[in-house]
Amino acid sequence: MLEEVERWLSTRSWSMTDRPLHKLIAAKRTSGSTVSVVLPALNEEETVGEIVAVIRHDLMQQIPLVDEIVVVDSGSTDRTSEVAAAAGARVVHRDEILPRLAAVPGKGEVLWRSLLVTSGDIVCFIDADLKEFSSDFVSGIVGPLLTDPGVDLVKAMYDRPLGSAAGQGGRVTELMARPLLNMHWPQLAGFVQPLGGEYAARRSLLEQLPFPVGYGVELGMLVDALHLVGLDSLAQVDVGVRKHRHQDGQALGRMAAAIYRTAQLRLARGHLIRPALTQFERGEDGFEPRTYSVDTEERPPMVDIREYQTRRVA
């Protein structure tokens, strides 16, 4: 490991217990910063309500840490929107944001558009499929941004069990993202969960970053932030254990392809020779091929979008 990364681990890796809530509230008052929490959601009626309710109770009603909770529904066919709204979130449909640009499927697309419907100086992203959710996920990663002006982006780190097997979650991280980062961006080798969906950042950074529209958004954001603001502006906080719904192996393969593509573009700013991934499923007549397109689109930095510029002026 690089000496720079070893030093970073000792100075930019913290525990959620390092910053008690009363210190965060004091820092928030002093800085005047506002905090938005965004949950990208697609068919998450079983979990999204509990997450919203916990954040509202712990970090809005008990203490004034979070200023708004926004659930961006990316086309759910279940009761995700109704459950989220009943729990106290403001729910916005992806297609209602920036309607002049047709929305494309993908998590990164939703995160990018969320910048137009939130107002916080600090934006905190939380996946909507978490189980046994704790508000420490929010306060833990928002904390360094409130107390340290030199920090611009904070990732959550945690254990990821797979069923009863401790530490076996995060298969795409271990098989794809971690090797890519260690080989091509070794400064980022210290991130425990580089693909984790729980992270917070200053709006002033997020609005300058391009957003891969799909699953490559987390890796792309880390790499681009490293080049834009440097390693010491990035940090991570231990928030315990993350439990969520796990994808099957083929879905993980598609995620890995999108992540590889995101890395490839950042290595050479070139183009995929074949932006598709063929997988196989056993059918009545043997193994049948299924070909899926790999996300090849990125959204530009939000600061370049005229609607966003207009809102900032207003």
Side-chain angles (χ1 to χ4, degrees), residues 24-35 64-67 146:
L24 298 188
I25 294 302
K28 186 174 188 287
R29 290 188 184 125
T30 299
S31 66
S33 299
T34 53
V35 177
L65 186 69
V66 171
D67 297 281
L146 291 172

Side-chain angles (χ1 to χ4, degrees), residues 102-142:
V104 297
K107 179 183 179 182
E109 176 83 353
V110 174
L111 300 184
W112 182 73
R113 289 176 184 259
S114 75
L115 296 181
L116 264 167
V117 293
T118 54
S119 58
D121 304 304
I122 295 169
V123 182
C124 175
F125 298 120
I126 300 290
D127 280 350
D129 66 343
L130 301 188
K131 303 174 181 178
E132 301 177 26
F133 178 76
S134 167
S135 59
D136 291 334
F137 273 72
V138 174
S139 58
I141 57 179
V142 166

Side-chain angles (χ1 to χ4, degrees), residues 7-40:
R7 177 192 56 76
W8 178 85
L9 281 169
S10 66
T11 60
R12 285 291 186 264
S13 291
W14 296 295
S15 166
M16 60 187 176
T17 60
D18 291 337
R19 293 173 175 81
L21 287 173
H22 70 273
K23 290 189 177 180
L24 298 188
I25 294 302
K28 186 174 188 287
R29 290 188 184 125
T30 299
S31 66
S33 299
T34 53
V35 177
S36 299
V37 175
V38 172
L39 279 71

Side-chain angles (χ1 to χ4, degrees), residues 53-75:
V54 168
I55 296 172
R56 276 191 58 82
H57 176 269
D58 293 359
L59 303 180
M60 296 181 80
Q61 296 171 347
Q62 296 279 23
I63 61 168
L65 186 69
V66 171
D67 297 281
E68 64 175 348
I69 306 174
V70 178
V71 170
V72 182
D73 190 329
S74 58

Side-chain angles (χ1 to χ4, degrees), residues 15-266:
S15 166
M16 60 187 176
T17 60
D18 291 337
R19 293 173 175 81
L21 287 173
H22 70 273
K23 290 189 177 180
L24 298 188
I25 294 302
K28 186 174 188 287
R29 290 188 184 125
T30 299
S31 66
S33 299
T34 53
V35 177
S36 299
V37 175
V38 172
L39 279 71
L42 177 62
N43 295 328
E44 303 294 357
E45 66 177 1
E46 294 184 4
T47 50
V48 68
E50 176 68 14
I51 297 171
V52 170
V54 168
I55 296 172
R56 276 191 58 82
H57 176 269
D58 293 359
L59 303 180
M60 296 181 80
Q61 296 171 347
Q62 296 279 23
I63 61 168
L65 186 69
V66 171
D67 297 281
E68 64 175 348
I69 306 174
V70 178
V71 170
V72 182
D73 190 329
S74 58
S76 297
T77 56
D78 65 2
R79 298 182 60 253
T80 290
S81 290
E82 293 87 342
V83 171
R90 177 162 59 93
V91 179
V92 185
H93 195 281
R94 173 200 62 197
D95 296 346
E96 297 172 355
I97 308 170
L98 201 61
R100 72 174 175 85
L101 290 181
V104 297
K107 179 183 179 182
E109 176 83 353
V110 174
L111 300 184
W112 182 73
R113 289 176 184 259
S114 75
L115 296 181
L116 264 167
V117 293
T118 54
S119 58
D121 304 304
I122 295 169
V123 182
C124 175
F125 298 120
I126 300 290
D127 280 350
D129 66 343
L130 301 188
K131 303 174 181 178
E132 301 177 26
F133 178 76
S134 167
S135 59
D136 291 334
F137 273 72
V138 174
S139 58
I141 57 179
V142 166
L145 295 163
L146 291 172
T147 60
D148 189 336
V151 173
D152 289 313
L153 184 149
V154 182
K155 297 279 293 189
M157 56 177 167
Y158 33 66
D159 295 313
R160 294 185 68 180
L162 181 61
S164 60
Q168 295 303 305
R171 290 161 287 173
V172 176
T173 294
E174 299 303 328
L175 297 175
M176 177 59 72
R178 200 175 307 285
L180 282 171
L181 292 176
N182 275 265
M183 288 187 292
H184 298 296
W185 296 281
Q187 287 178 296
L188 298 174
F191 277 94
V192 175
Q193 298 292 351
L195 300 185
E198 291 70 47
Y199 49 99
R202 299 191 192 281
R203 178 176 294 272
S204 57
L205 171 62
L206 293 172
E207 65 186 13
Q208 298 181 69
L209 299 176
F211 276 61
V213 298
Y215 284 115
V217 64
E218 274 84 24
L219 183 133
M221 190 176 295
L222 264 187
V223 171
D224 293 339
L226 173 68
H227 290 298
L228 190 62
V229 296
L231 182 60
D232 282 340
S233 293
L234 313 179
Q236 60 185 349
V237 172
D238 188 348
V239 295
V241 178
R242 182 188 197 266
K243 297 182 180 180
H244 66 114
R245 183 187 69 251
H246 290 282
Q247 305 276 3
D248 63 33
Q250 293 206 332
L252 296 178
R254 297 191 290 274
M255 292 169 62
I259 290 162
Y260 178 75
R261 168 263 169 188
T262 300
Q264 182 191 45
L265 287 183
R266 278 153 181 77

